[in-house]
Amino acid sequence: MKTKPKPKPMGTIGTALACAGLLLCSNAYTDSVKIGFVTTLTTPAGVIGKDMQDAVNLAVDHLGAKMAGKDIEIFFEDDGFKPEIGKQKTDKLVKQDDVDFVTGFIWSHVLLASRKSALDAGKFLISANAGPSKLAGKLCHENFFSTSWQNDQTPMAMGEVLNQQNVKSLYVMAPNYAAGKNMVAGVERTFKGEIAGKDLTKWGKDAQLDFSAELAKAKASGAEGLFVFYPGKAGGAFMKQYQQAGLVESLPLYTVFTVDSIALPKLQGANMEGVLGSRNTMFWSPDLDTPGNRKFVSGFREKYGKYPSFYAAQAYDSIMLINSGVEGAGGNVDDMDAVRSAMKQANFDSVRGKYTYGNNHFPIQNFYLREVVEDADGNWTSKIVSTVLENHQDPYAAECKL
Amino acid sequence: MNWDLLIIQCLNGLQLGLLLFLLAAGLTLIFGIMDFINLSHGSFYMIGAYFCASITNLTGSLILGVVISLIGVLIVGALVEALLARRLYRNDHLDHVLVTLGLILCFDTAVHFFWGAEGMTIPLPPALDGQVNMGDIVIPTYRFVIIIAGLLVAGGLYLLVNKTHLGMLIRAGASNRVMVTALGINIDRLYMIVFAIGAAMAGFAGMLIAPITEASVGMGNEIIIIAFVVVIVGGIGSVKGAFYGALLIGLIDTLGRSYLDDFLKLSMPANYAETAAPALSAMMVYILMAAILAFRPRGLFPPATKS
Amino acid sequence: MTGSQTNPPQEPDRDTQGKSWGKVSGSTTVYLGIIVLLGFAPPFLSLINEPFYLDLLSRMLILGIAALSLNLILGYGGMISMGHAAYLGIGAYCVGIPAYYEIYNGFVHLALAIVLSGIFAFLSGIISLRTKGVYFIMITLAFTQMLYFTFVSLEEYGGDDGLVIELRSEFPGLFDTENNTNLYYCIYLTLLGSLLLVHRLIQAPFGRVIIGSKHNEERMRSLGYNTYRYRLVCYVISGILCGIAGVFLGNFTSFISPEMMDWTHSGELIFMIVIGGVNSLFGPLIGSMLFIFFEEWLSGITVYWHFIFGLMLIALVLFGKGGINGLITALFGERR
């Protein structure tokens, strides 16, 4: 047997790995607050992640890059719109970067997949968007917080609006994933009329974007209203097809998370006048008059020259919530009990104004009916019409044993 | 049974089928003549949409946007052929798959870099933004435009392939490559023309769909798989096969989405039926392909004299 | 006109066939060295306190097994499957669905994975193997898409959202897979077993028929071999091996979703094989290691990393014939 030990290539690979390791971990022992932010930066949904990233950077600016006198370090990670990648990135954040907080998460399925990695590692997990029912109920956790809403809440508010407007029958469309199913469940929970039909369409990176067949079905169903939930680019596509199909008059549209500040400039560019006046429910609006929101919206418009989306508002709040926790613990991030009890107070200038946390750490907050309008400069934006639900708590809180 | 709805859904299926045909026609020609598997054919679809969106937004004219973008995609197609594809015709299929997979990544990232992740819309002139009424049947005007444009391109391609000298060479190439080379035809030029025309048709499909959805990164990556199914179902190298295959698959997909959930509700709880139906209608396309291959291993309309 | 007829046989195969147990070439020594080093990775990484790299290595080895299994049909058999990710998914769901019903016994998971991926390979193989070339690529893809959409429609098991696996497979009395080091060694030993299995298969007359029918099926048939059956058996073995890799993947990520069966993942497995070197026993493993290393490294640098990745793919095919295996063989050696 000829054996010529040649450790060379392995040596180089080993050295390379070690070097990479040193580079990546050189700041492991500095005294700073480390926050991992998992969002979508590639794929078309990357535009949402960009908005959140902008808001996080704005929040860091507003905080003077310090929390309780410590430097803020933010690690942005791209989940690529895929649950397993999101989980991998969360693993990396907690194991390699040793972050104190993991936040972000646009998508319910990414959050559900990543939850265990963050919580098992003893880190705080803060959702800045996704609010799947499981995390509000059975899977609630003392170290999990939300700065958004539970998925069912916003459509529940819409259900109330539909009742107020005396809509008798409703056609429902949503993407076929965790949040979509929650949204449908939410509207069915409060809507008192009849559900004339329902379509759950393919979601994910190869999401269905041509809704011709579904719109034809909705029209044929004879429903008095159409409820949809299509976040991100699907929202813009849906709105266009809805208008092109000429349904604006015959089948009034009620949306949640579909017409947002990301879609509006594009819809305006495509002359989709039918969007103006369309109504949706939400916990927040750019024109909401609270000190925190004024500072956030004006700061965001000044820095980035556009209206922030609700994703941005929630991302901004997630950093502010963390700040309130870190300050409450006097800067000692390792004192998780102190951080947790401070965060539970929600004692900061939230963009939505004062709110409280329920036992499951989801906000108890107001929900508003909003309308799409043209602002003084001719840009399309959303404006609050009325308050639909006051201090509303999600329906899953009772299932949470905290 | 709501017959109006059925007619509308058939028209929707026809529209999807014609879009698929525009993609599949180029694919099947490139496939049949050069024996080249071009997974990145969907990138031309995306590039066409982005070109058209940019130029339309810049000039304010959709027609100008379409014309200039068609030329643009033709050039991109010709470049890809001359710089990359040409060197690979003799390699095995594995190399084609890998190189074109790499090309998809490059194109997607380049578009993300230059145009951003947010996607672009193509505004429609008011004349195309309305609806066409035929009794109780109301169809968006623009969807009619897609159907008519698709049929026109299909007809043009039929004439090109069957009535012109170039078409004769293409047909000869698809059924017997060796003979065309033996006849002393400038085969490199023929290949480049076919590749560029294929790319332009895919780009045209992208331009047609963008006003309905939008131009977005990676928009061609899923539809290209369906277009491949069309090519296989129709028979590699057969434009006629691609046409019928595309219509068949467009109809199956659309009608599946329309009626499968009602059908499934007969045998399972409603909430399961609602989530299962979209997945099953997507699956039917592949079941169809496997079934056709099991009985006709070379597709429905294989070119006549394939060696 | 099929792929196997238009392509001239590639030379290196002859060597792989001709090697006997006794002689070990320089390149093999390098590979064996890497394998031995991999065995020492967990204590080393815990010494330098880098648990994340153990995760990375685990993923490399799991996908290494998967790529190895694909190489059995793709590299040696010339059957380009664009649907091998299906077996990763089957294996992973064989952990996830029993775990959903609180059945955590690892032997049950493994047995299920072996049986079900075997059945799926057998049934899809019966039809697929009747086709050649690009039809084979497409029909393997079609079967995987069918499976993908089946799992998407299974609402009970999470549908599109996937399923979180709360507890990993248990091997009572043997070891505790909740410990990442144990899981790593479990994967490592399986990898060693798989390498040995593939090596033996290829050396055996079975392997010669498979390689022979890749180059000239007519000849093998005229020699009296029922090449269809040989290929089918090879295809089933490959599927089962990949299914086992899927069991580890499910355990490792503690999460499964239909996305695991996406056609791009099948493409990535092919990519790994080509990086490492088609027709080489260790190539797929090296390829998967490099693939994941680059993926992790480049994605940390820029969101536009796919561009570099794409260029690498193209360059690899245009200039890098033989992959890393070709390089290592050229450096260390003597093939004959």
Side-chain angles (χ1 to χ4, degrees), chain A residues 41-44 46-47 176 181 198-200 202 205-206 208-210 212-214 216-217 219-220 233 237 240-241 243-246 266 269-272, chain B residues 2 5 8-9 12 15 112 117-121 123-124 129-131 136 138 140 143 209-214 216-217 222 254 257-258 261 274-275 278:
Chain A
L41 297 171
T42 53
T43 79
V47 60
N176 191 5
K181 291 171 210 158
K198 202 194 291 181
D199 273 313
L200 295 170
K202 176 91 186 72
K205 69 180 172 53
D206 57 333
Q208 179 190 330
L209 290 177
D210 187 340
S212 55
E214 289 76 10
K217 273 167 84 180
K219 182 160 182 281
K233 72 164 179 173
K240 280 193 272 181
Q241 292 168 40
Q243 188 182 336
Q244 283 164 1
K266 276 196 285 181
N271 301 320
M272 291 286 138
Chain B
N2 184 337
L5 183 62
I8 293 174
Q9 300 297 35
N12 285 330
Q15 175 229 314
H112 179 191
E118 64 267 30
M120 288 185 86
T121 51
L124 284 177
D129 226 359
Q131 302 84 37
D136 287 337
V138 180
R143 294 197 186 260
I209 195 73
I212 292 186
T213 58
E214 64 177 18
S216 61
V217 176
E222 296 303 321
T254 308
R257 278 193 281 136
S258 321
D261 54 346
E274 273 144 14
T275 46

Coordinates of all heavy atoms in Angstrom, one line a residue, chain A residues 41-44 46-47 176 181 198-200 202 205-206 208-210 212-214 216-217 219-220 233 237 240-241 243-246 266 269-272, chain B residues 2 5 8-9 12 15 112 117-121 123-124 129-131 136 138 140 143 209-214 216-217 222 254 257-258 261 274-275 278:
Chain A
L41 N -34.3 39.5 1.7 CA -33.6 40.5 1.0 C -33.4 40.2 -0.5 O -33.1 41.1 -1.3 CB -32.2 40.7 1.6 CG -32.3 41.3 3.1 CD1 -30.9 41.2 3.7 CD2 -32.8 42.7 3.1
T42 N -33.5 38.9 -0.8 CA -33.5 38.5 -2.3 C -34.9 38.1 -2.6 O -35.8 38.2 -1.8 CB -32.6 37.3 -2.5 OG1 -32.9 36.3 -1.6 CG2 -31.1 37.7 -2.2
T43 N -35.1 37.7 -3.9 CA -36.5 37.4 -4.5 C -37.3 38.7 -4.5 O -36.9 39.7 -3.8 CB -37.3 36.3 -3.7 OG1 -37.9 36.9 -2.5 CG2 -36.4 35.1 -3.3
P44 N -38.4 38.7 -5.3 CA -39.2 39.9 -5.3 C -39.6 40.4 -4.0 O -39.8 41.6 -3.8 CB -40.4 39.5 -6.2 CG -39.8 38.5 -7.1 CD -38.9 37.7 -6.2
G46 N -37.9 40.8 -1.6 CA -36.8 41.5 -1.0 C -37.2 43.0 -0.8 O -36.5 43.7 0.1
V47 N -38.1 43.5 -1.5 CA -38.5 44.9 -1.4 C -39.1 45.2 0.0 O -38.9 46.2 0.6 CB -39.5 45.3 -2.5 CG1 -40.7 44.5 -2.5 CG2 -39.8 46.8 -2.4
N176 N -52.2 30.3 0.0 CA -52.3 29.1 0.7 C -51.1 28.9 1.6 O -50.2 28.1 1.3 CB -52.5 27.9 -0.3 CG -52.8 26.6 0.4 OD1 -53.1 26.6 1.6 ND2 -52.9 25.6 -0.4
K181 N -54.2 31.3 5.8 CA -55.3 30.6 6.4 C -55.8 31.3 7.7 O -57.0 31.3 8.0 CB -54.8 29.2 6.8 CG -54.5 28.3 5.5 CD -53.8 27.0 5.9 CE -52.9 26.5 4.8 NZ -51.9 25.6 5.2
K198 N -64.5 30.5 -1.7 CA -63.2 30.7 -1.1 C -62.1 30.1 -2.0 O -62.3 29.0 -2.6 CB -63.2 29.9 0.2 CG -62.2 30.4 1.2 CD -62.0 29.5 2.3 CE -63.2 29.4 3.3 NZ -62.9 28.4 4.4
D199 N -61.1 30.8 -2.2 CA -59.9 30.3 -3.0 C -58.6 30.5 -2.3 O -58.3 31.7 -1.9 CB -59.8 31.0 -4.4 CG -60.7 30.3 -5.4 OD1 -60.7 29.1 -5.5 OD2 -61.5 31.1 -6.1
L200 N -57.9 29.5 -2.1 CA -56.6 29.6 -1.5 C -55.6 29.3 -2.7 O -55.6 28.2 -3.3 CB -56.4 28.6 -0.4 CG -57.2 28.9 0.8 CD1 -57.2 27.8 1.8 CD2 -56.8 30.2 1.5
K202 N -51.7 29.2 -4.8 CA -50.4 28.8 -4.5 C -49.5 29.9 -4.1 O -49.5 31.0 -4.7 CB -49.8 28.2 -5.9 CG -48.4 27.8 -5.8 CD -48.2 26.3 -5.4 CE -46.7 26.0 -5.3 NZ -46.1 26.6 -4.1
K205 N -42.1 31.1 -3.5 CA -41.4 31.9 -4.5 C -42.0 31.7 -5.9 O -41.8 32.6 -6.8 CB -39.9 31.5 -4.5 CG -39.6 30.2 -5.0 CD -38.1 29.9 -4.9 CE -37.7 28.5 -5.2 NZ -38.3 28.0 -6.5
D206 N -42.8 30.7 -6.1 CA -43.4 30.5 -7.4 C -44.9 30.8 -7.3 O -45.8 30.1 -7.8 CB -43.2 29.1 -8.0 CG -43.6 28.0 -7.0 OD1 -43.6 28.3 -5.8 OD2 -44.0 26.9 -7.5
Q208 N -48.7 32.0 -7.4 CA -49.6 32.2 -8.5 C -49.9 33.7 -8.5 O -50.2 34.3 -7.5 CB -50.9 31.5 -8.3 CG -51.9 31.7 -9.4 CD -53.3 31.1 -9.0 OE1 -53.3 30.1 -8.3 NE2 -54.3 31.7 -9.5
L209 N -49.8 34.4 -9.7 CA -50.0 35.8 -9.8 C -51.1 36.2 -10.8 O -51.5 37.3 -10.9 CB -48.7 36.5 -10.2 CG -47.6 36.5 -9.2 CD1 -46.4 37.2 -9.8 CD2 -48.0 37.3 -8.0
D210 N -51.5 35.2 -11.5 CA -52.6 35.4 -12.5 C -53.9 34.9 -11.9 O -54.1 33.7 -11.7 CB -52.3 34.7 -13.8 CG -53.3 35.1 -14.9 OD1 -54.4 35.6 -14.5 OD2 -53.0 35.0 -16.1
S212 N -57.0 35.3 -13.0 CA -58.2 35.3 -13.9 C -59.3 34.3 -13.5 O -60.4 34.7 -13.4 CB -57.7 35.1 -15.3 OG -57.0 33.9 -15.4
A213 N -58.8 33.1 -13.3 CA -59.8 32.0 -13.0 C -60.6 32.3 -11.7 O -61.8 32.2 -11.6 CB -59.2 30.7 -12.9
E214 N -59.8 32.8 -10.7 CA -60.5 33.0 -9.4 C -61.4 34.2 -9.4 O -62.5 34.2 -8.8 CB -59.4 33.3 -8.3 CG -58.6 32.0 -8.0 CD -57.6 31.6 -9.0 OE1 -57.3 32.4 -10.0 OE2 -57.0 30.5 -8.9
A216 N -63.0 35.3 -12.0 CA -64.2 34.9 -12.7 C -65.2 34.1 -11.8 O -66.4 34.3 -11.8 CB -63.9 34.1 -13.9
K217 N -64.6 33.3 -11.0 CA -65.4 32.5 -10.0 C -66.1 33.4 -9.0 O -67.2 33.3 -8.7 CB -64.5 31.5 -9.3 CG -64.4 30.2 -9.9 CD -63.3 29.4 -9.3 CE -63.7 28.6 -8.1 NZ -62.6 27.9 -7.5
K219 N -66.9 36.5 -9.3 CA -67.9 37.3 -9.9 C -69.2 36.4 -10.1 O -70.3 36.8 -9.8 CB -67.5 37.8 -11.3 CG -68.5 38.6 -12.0 CD -67.9 39.5 -13.1 CE -68.9 40.4 -13.7 NZ -69.7 39.7 -14.8
A220 N -68.9 35.2 -10.6 CA -70.1 34.3 -10.8 C -70.8 33.9 -9.5 O -71.9 33.4 -9.6 CB -69.6 33.0 -11.6
K233 N -45.8 41.6 -3.7 CA -46.0 41.9 -5.1 C -47.3 41.3 -5.6 O -47.9 41.8 -6.5 CB -44.9 41.4 -6.0 CG -44.8 39.9 -6.1 CD -43.9 39.5 -7.3 CE -43.8 38.0 -7.5 NZ -43.1 37.6 -8.6
A237 N -50.3 42.9 -8.2 CA -50.8 42.2 -9.3 C -52.3 42.0 -9.2 O -53.1 42.2 -10.1 CB -50.1 40.8 -9.4
K240 N -54.4 45.2 -9.9 CA -54.5 45.5 -11.3 C -55.5 44.6 -12.0 O -56.4 45.1 -12.8 CB -53.1 45.3 -12.0 CG -52.2 46.4 -11.7 CD -51.0 46.3 -12.6 CE -49.9 45.5 -12.0 NZ -48.7 45.4 -12.8
Q241 N -55.5 43.3 -11.7 CA -56.4 42.4 -12.4 C -57.8 42.7 -11.9 O -58.8 42.5 -12.7 CB -56.0 41.0 -12.1 CG -54.7 40.7 -12.8 CD -54.1 39.4 -12.3 OE1 -54.8 38.4 -12.1 NE2 -52.8 39.4 -12.2
Q243 N -59.1 45.6 -11.1 CA -59.6 46.7 -11.9 C -59.8 46.4 -13.3 O -60.8 46.7 -13.9 CB -58.6 47.9 -11.7 CG -59.3 49.2 -12.3 CD -58.4 50.4 -12.3 OE1 -57.5 50.4 -11.5 NE2 -58.6 51.3 -13.1
Q244 N -58.9 45.6 -13.9 CA -59.0 45.3 -15.3 C -60.3 44.4 -15.6 O -60.9 44.5 -16.6 CB -57.8 44.5 -15.8 CG -56.6 45.5 -16.1 CD -55.2 44.7 -16.2 OE1 -55.2 43.5 -16.1 NE2 -54.2 45.5 -16.4
A245 N -60.6 43.6 -14.6 CA -61.8 42.8 -14.7 C -63.1 43.6 -14.6 O -64.2 43.0 -14.8 CB -61.8 41.6 -13.7
G246 N -63.0 44.9 -14.2 CA -64.1 45.7 -14.2 C -65.0 45.4 -13.0 O -66.2 45.5 -13.1
K266 N -46.4 52.0 -7.1 CA -46.5 51.2 -8.4 C -47.9 51.2 -9.0 O -48.0 51.4 -10.2 CB -46.1 49.7 -8.1 CG -44.6 49.6 -8.1 CD -44.2 48.1 -8.3 CE -44.4 47.4 -7.0 NZ -44.0 46.0 -7.1
G269 N -48.3 54.5 -10.5 CA -47.6 54.5 -11.8 C -48.3 53.9 -12.9 O -48.2 54.2 -14.1
A270 N -49.1 52.8 -12.6 CA -49.9 52.1 -13.6 C -51.3 52.7 -13.7 O -52.1 52.1 -14.4 CB -49.9 50.6 -13.2
N271 N -51.5 53.9 -13.2 CA -52.8 54.5 -13.3 C -54.0 53.7 -12.8 O -55.1 53.6 -13.4 CB -53.1 55.0 -14.7 CG -52.1 55.9 -15.2 OD1 -51.6 56.8 -14.5 ND2 -51.6 55.7 -16.5
M272 N -53.8 52.9 -11.7 CA -54.9 52.1 -11.2 C -55.8 52.9 -10.3 O -55.8 52.8 -9.1 CB -54.3 50.9 -10.4 CG -53.6 49.9 -11.3 SD -54.8 49.0 -12.3 CE -54.0 49.0 -13.9
Chain B
N2 N -72.8 26.6 -14.6 CA -72.8 28.0 -15.1 C -72.0 28.0 -16.4 O -70.7 28.0 -16.4 CB -72.2 28.8 -14.0 CG -72.2 30.3 -14.4 OD1 -72.3 30.6 -15.6 ND2 -72.1 31.2 -13.4
L5 N -69.6 31.0 -17.0 CA -68.3 30.8 -16.3 C -67.4 29.9 -17.0 O -66.2 30.1 -17.2 CB -68.6 30.3 -14.9 CG -67.4 30.2 -14.0 CD1 -66.7 31.6 -13.8 CD2 -67.8 29.6 -12.6
I8 N -65.8 31.6 -19.9 CA -64.8 32.6 -19.4 C -63.5 31.8 -19.0 O -62.4 32.2 -19.4 CB -65.3 33.4 -18.3 CG1 -66.4 34.3 -18.7 CG2 -64.2 34.2 -17.6 CD1 -67.1 35.1 -17.6
Q9 N -63.7 30.7 -18.3 CA -62.5 30.0 -17.8 C -61.8 29.3 -19.0 O -60.6 29.3 -19.0 CB -62.9 28.9 -16.8 CG -63.6 29.4 -15.6 CD -62.8 30.3 -14.7 OE1 -62.0 31.1 -15.2 NE2 -63.0 30.2 -13.4
N12 N -59.7 32.0 -20.3 CA -58.6 32.2 -19.5 C -57.5 31.1 -19.7 O -56.3 31.4 -19.7 CB -59.0 32.2 -18.0 CG -59.7 33.5 -17.6 OD1 -59.4 34.5 -18.1 ND2 -60.6 33.4 -16.7
Q15 N -55.7 31.9 -22.9 CA -54.7 32.9 -22.7 C -53.5 32.4 -22.1 O -52.3 32.6 -22.6 CB -55.3 34.0 -21.8 CG -54.4 35.1 -21.5 CD -54.4 35.4 -20.0 OE1 -55.4 35.5 -19.4 NE2 -53.2 35.5 -19.4
H112 N -31.8 42.0 -10.5 CA -32.0 42.5 -9.2 C -31.1 43.7 -8.9 O -31.5 44.7 -8.3 CB -31.7 41.3 -8.2 CG -31.8 41.7 -6.8 ND1 -31.3 40.9 -5.7 CD2 -32.3 42.8 -6.1 CE1 -31.5 41.5 -4.6 NE2 -32.1 42.6 -4.8
A117 N -35.3 45.0 -6.4 CA -36.1 43.8 -6.1 C -37.6 44.1 -6.2 O -38.4 43.2 -6.2 CB -35.8 43.3 -4.7
E118 N -37.9 45.4 -6.3 CA -39.3 45.7 -6.1 C -40.2 45.4 -7.3 O -41.4 45.4 -7.2 CB -39.5 47.2 -5.7 CG -39.1 48.2 -6.7 CD -37.7 48.6 -6.5 OE1 -36.9 47.8 -6.0 OE2 -37.4 49.8 -6.8
G119 N -39.7 45.1 -8.4 CA -40.5 44.8 -9.6 C -41.0 46.0 -10.3 O -40.9 47.1 -9.7
M120 N -41.4 45.9 -11.5 CA -41.9 47.0 -12.3 C -43.2 46.8 -12.9 O -43.5 45.6 -13.4 CB -40.9 47.4 -13.4 CG -39.6 48.0 -12.9 SD -38.6 48.4 -14.3 CE -39.2 50.0 -14.6
T121 N -44.0 47.8 -13.0 CA -45.3 47.6 -13.7 C -45.2 48.2 -15.1 O -44.4 49.1 -15.4 CB -46.4 48.3 -12.9 OG1 -46.1 49.6 -12.7 CG2 -46.7 47.6 -11.7
P123 N -47.8 50.3 -17.3 CA -49.1 50.9 -17.4 C -49.7 50.7 -18.7 O -49.1 50.7 -19.8 CB -48.8 52.4 -17.2 CG -47.4 52.6 -17.5 CD -46.7 51.3 -17.3
L124 N -51.0 50.4 -18.7 CA -51.7 50.1 -20.0 C -52.4 51.4 -20.4 O -52.9 52.2 -19.6 CB -52.8 49.0 -19.8 CG -52.3 47.6 -19.7 CD1 -53.5 46.7 -19.4 CD2 -51.6 47.2 -20.9
D129 N -57.5 49.0 -21.0 CA -57.7 48.8 -19.5 C -59.1 48.4 -19.2 O -59.4 48.1 -18.0 CB -57.3 50.0 -18.8 CG -56.4 49.7 -17.6 OD1 -56.2 48.5 -17.4 OD2 -56.0 50.6 -16.9
G130 N -60.0 48.4 -20.1 CA -61.4 48.2 -19.8 C -61.8 46.7 -20.0 O -61.0 45.8 -19.8
Q131 N -63.1 46.5 -20.3 CA -63.6 45.2 -20.4 C -64.4 45.1 -21.7 O -64.9 46.0 -22.3 CB -64.5 44.8 -19.3 CG -63.9 44.9 -17.9 CD -63.9 46.3 -17.4 OE1 -64.9 47.0 -17.6 NE2 -62.9 46.7 -16.7
D136 N -73.6 38.1 -21.1 CA -73.2 38.0 -19.7 C -71.7 37.8 -19.5 O -71.3 37.7 -18.4 CB -74.0 36.8 -19.1 CG -75.5 37.2 -18.9 OD1 -75.7 38.4 -18.9 OD2 -76.3 36.3 -18.9
V138 N -68.1 38.8 -19.5 CA -67.3 40.0 -19.4 C -65.8 39.6 -19.3 O -65.5 38.8 -18.4 CB -67.7 41.0 -18.3 CG1 -66.8 42.2 -18.3 CG2 -69.1 41.3 -18.4
P140 N -61.7 41.1 -19.4 CA -60.8 42.3 -19.6 C -60.3 42.4 -21.0 O -59.9 41.4 -21.6 CB -59.7 42.0 -18.6 CG -60.3 41.0 -17.6 CD -61.3 40.2 -18.4
R143 N -56.9 40.9 -21.8 CA -56.7 39.5 -21.9 C -57.1 39.1 -23.4 O -56.5 38.1 -23.9 CB -57.6 38.7 -20.9 CG -57.1 39.0 -19.5 CD -57.6 38.0 -18.5 NE -57.2 38.4 -17.1 CZ -56.2 37.8 -16.5 NH1 -55.4 36.9 -17.1 NH2 -55.9 38.2 -15.3
I209 N -47.4 39.5 -20.3 CA -47.9 39.2 -19.0 C -47.6 40.3 -18.0 O -48.4 40.5 -17.0 CB -47.3 37.8 -18.4 CG1 -48.1 37.3 -17.2 CG2 -45.9 38.0 -18.0 CD1 -49.4 36.8 -17.6
A210 N -46.6 41.1 -18.2 CA -46.2 42.1 -17.2 C -47.3 43.1 -16.9 O -47.4 43.5 -15.7 CB -44.9 42.8 -17.6
P211 N -48.1 43.6 -17.8 CA -49.2 44.5 -17.4 C -50.2 43.9 -16.5 O -50.9 44.6 -15.8 CB -49.8 44.9 -18.8 CG -48.7 44.7 -19.8 CD -48.0 43.5 -19.3
I212 N -50.3 42.6 -16.5 CA -51.3 41.9 -15.6 C -50.6 41.7 -14.3 O -51.3 41.9 -13.2 CB -51.7 40.5 -16.2 CG1 -52.5 40.8 -17.5 CG2 -52.5 39.7 -15.2 CD1 -53.1 39.5 -18.0
T213 N -49.5 41.1 -14.2 CA -48.8 40.9 -13.0 C -47.8 42.0 -12.8 O -48.1 43.1 -12.5 CB -48.1 39.5 -13.0 OG1 -47.2 39.5 -14.0 CG2 -49.1 38.4 -13.1
E214 N -46.5 41.7 -13.0 CA -45.5 42.8 -13.1 C -44.2 42.1 -13.5 O -44.1 40.9 -13.5 CB -45.3 43.5 -11.8 CG -44.8 42.6 -10.6 CD -44.6 43.4 -9.4 OE1 -45.1 44.5 -9.2 OE2 -43.9 42.9 -8.5
S216 N -40.8 40.9 -12.6 CA -40.2 40.7 -11.3 C -39.1 39.7 -11.4 O -39.0 38.9 -12.4 CB -41.2 40.2 -10.2 OG -41.8 39.0 -10.7
V217 N -38.1 39.8 -10.5 CA -37.0 38.9 -10.5 C -37.4 37.4 -10.4 O -38.2 37.1 -9.6 CB -36.0 39.2 -9.4 CG1 -34.8 38.3 -9.4 CG2 -35.5 40.7 -9.5
E222 N -40.3 29.5 -12.9 CA -41.3 28.4 -12.7 C -42.1 28.1 -14.0 O -42.3 27.0 -14.3 CB -42.3 28.8 -11.6 CG -41.6 28.9 -10.2 CD -40.9 27.7 -9.8 OE1 -41.4 26.6 -10.0 OE2 -39.8 27.8 -9.2
T254 N -56.1 25.9 -15.8 CA -57.1 26.9 -15.5 C -58.4 26.2 -15.0 O -59.0 26.5 -14.0 CB -57.4 27.8 -16.7 OG1 -56.2 28.3 -17.1 CG2 -58.3 28.9 -16.3
R257 N -58.0 24.8 -11.6 CA -58.1 25.8 -10.5 C -59.5 26.2 -10.3 O -59.9 26.6 -9.2 CB -57.2 27.0 -10.9 CG -55.8 26.8 -10.5 CD -55.1 28.2 -10.6 NE -54.8 28.6 -11.9 CZ -54.9 29.8 -12.4 NH1 -55.4 30.7 -11.7 NH2 -54.6 30.1 -13.7
S258 N -60.3 26.1 -11.4 CA -61.7 26.6 -11.3 C -62.6 25.6 -10.7 O -63.5 26.0 -9.9 CB -62.2 27.0 -12.7 OG -61.3 27.6 -13.4
D261 N -61.8 22.2 -6.7 CA -62.2 22.3 -5.3 C -63.7 21.8 -5.1 O -64.0 21.1 -4.2 CB -61.9 23.6 -4.7 CG -62.6 24.8 -5.5 OD1 -63.0 24.6 -6.6 OD2 -62.6 25.9 -4.9
E274 N -60.2 22.8 -0.1 CA -59.8 24.1 -0.6 C -58.3 24.2 -0.6 O -57.7 24.9 -1.5 CB -60.3 25.2 0.4 CG -61.7 25.7 0.0 CD -62.5 26.0 1.2 OE1 -62.0 26.1 2.3 OE2 -63.8 26.1 1.1
T275 N -57.6 23.6 0.3 CA -56.1 23.7 0.3 C -55.5 22.7 -0.7 O -54.5 22.9 -1.3 CB -55.5 23.5 1.6 OG1 -56.1 22.4 2.3 CG2 -55.7 24.7 2.5
P278 N -55.7 23.6 -5.3 CA -54.6 24.3 -6.1 C -53.4 23.4 -6.3 O -52.9 23.4 -7.4 CB -54.3 25.5 -5.3 CG -54.9 25.4 -4.0 CD -55.9 24.3 -4.0

